[in-house]
Amino acid sequence: MREIAKLDDIPREGLRFTYKDGPFDEQGILLRLPSGAVRAYKNECRHLPMPLDDREPGELWDPERRFLVCGSHGAIYRPENGLCTAGPCRGSHLRALPIVVGGDSVYLDTTKIGGFFDPA
Ligand code: FES
């Protein structure tokens, strides 16, 4: 287990972090939802293997901040479960990352991603 962040340090727009999955450097998105639930996804669209914010770095959300949006072709994802509800990959899910909340911190379970974690 590697700590990603303290719960109180997760900004409203989410926190990006990097991790290694085997030999690959990957980027994750850590979200704290209005309900208090925490989610983490690989920052990769399910239409094409590109970061959601490839065209506009740092912009992951629709204007109302209700949905994650891929800036390339407009796929829309629910932040609570990663389901794509509109766009070219409708019905697919963002890849959820294995996290554990313990105390006031969020941890990445590195035993389940085949690699190890390096903080951004
Ligand atoms: S790469 Fe995300 S919608 Fe096409």
Side-chain angles (χ1 to χ4, degrees), residues 2 6-8 12-13 20 23 26 28 31 40-41 52 54 59 62 64 67 76-77 79 87 99 109 114:
R2 295 291 181 98
K6 301 286 186 199
L7 279 170
D8 289 343
R12 186 166 178 255
E13 65 273 15
K20 285 203 179 286
E26 306 288 0
L31 306 174
Y41 300 107
L52 297 177
D54 191 61
E59 193 48 67
D62 69 332
E64 290 80 33
F67 300 100
I76 295 174
Y77 297 92
I99 56 170
D109 185 347

Side-chain angles (χ1 to χ4, degrees), residues 16 27 43 50-60 69-71:
R16 252 172 290 205
Q27 188 178 75
N43 183 13
M50 309 170 60
L52 297 177
D53 56 343
D54 191 61
R55 292 215 175 162
E56 292 185 54
E59 193 48 67
L60 297 168
V69 178
C70 178

Side-chain angles (χ1 to χ4, degrees), residues 45-52 70-77 87-89:
C45 188
R46 295 311 301 261
H47 176 218
L48 297 172
M50 309 170 60
L52 297 177
C70 178
S72 293
H73 310 109
I76 295 174
Y77 297 92
C89 45

